[in-house]
């Protein structure tokens, strides 16, 4: 915690994984969960929903940790650009100028072989 969040209540959202974006796509197909950008955008929407249920918004996020897996469709490289694009749609915008601290970690695998991204978010309630 930094001096701006010290003494404030926080919400930790752990291990958010991508939603299915195409339910009729076969299990194991790329279309089911999408590419890194689609997965990350879906995850950030899910995090936003969780925050709203706690009375917070994406403006209250102070830190994100993203775990990325190499994408076979992208020369087996981690698609950092896809993650950054999704991040830039949710943060540092006119609607949400907040740019929380973040870490991006490359990992060998996630719990589901079709997942390319998993995100943890930490938010702080506004100062009284």
């Amino acid at each position: 915690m930094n001096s701006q969040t010290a003494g404030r209540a926080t919400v930790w959202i752990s291990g958010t994984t991508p939603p299915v974006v195409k339910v009729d796509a076969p299990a194991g197909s790329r279309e089911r969960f999408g590419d890194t950008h689609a997965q990350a955008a879906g995850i950030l929407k899910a995090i936003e929903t969780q925050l709203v249920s706690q009375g917070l918004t994406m403006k209250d996020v102070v830190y994100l940790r993203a775990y990325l897996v190499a994408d076979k469709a992208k020369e087996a490289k981690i698609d950092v650009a896809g993650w950054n694009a999704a991040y830039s749609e949710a943060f540092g915008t006119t609607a949400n100028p907040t740019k929380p601290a973040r870490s991006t970690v490359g990992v060998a695998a996630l719990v589901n072989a079709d997942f390319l991204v998993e995100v943890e978010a930490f938010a702080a309630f506004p100062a009284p």
Side-chain angles (χ1 to χ4, degrees):
M1 293 228 163
N2 64 32
S3 62
Q4 293 179 332
T5 57
R8 292 169 38 197
T10 58
V11 172
W12 294 35
I13 299 173
S14 65
T16 306
T17 56
V20 172
V21 293
K22 189 171 183 192
V23 293
D24 59 340
S29 71
R30 181 176 184 81
E31 294 76 27
R32 188 160 178 83
F33 291 98
D35 63 6
T36 299
H37 175 262
Q39 289 190 21
I43 289 169
L44 292 173
K45 288 286 184 197
I47 288 171
E48 181 176 32
T49 299
Q50 292 178 60
L51 289 171
V52 167
S53 76
Q54 298 295 315
L56 297 167
T57 71
M58 293 295 265
K59 292 178 182 177
D60 299 307
V61 174
V62 294
Y63 180 73
L64 294 169
R65 184 178 301 121
Y67 300 94
L68 276 64
V69 173
D71 185 347
K72 295 176 204 160
K74 302 238 177 180
E75 300 177 2
K77 294 182 181 176
I78 293 174
D79 184 9
V80 176
W83 160 240
N84 285 339
Y87 172 88
S88 295
E89 291 166 6
F91 299 99
T93 66
T94 303
N96 180 14
T98 302
K99 290 180 99 175
R102 63 182 173 142
S103 298
T104 303
V105 182
V107 296
L110 294 170
V111 69
N112 181 322
D114 297 330
F115 294 166
L116 299 171
V117 185
E118 182 174 322
V119 179
E120 298 173 336
F122 307 88
F125 282 88

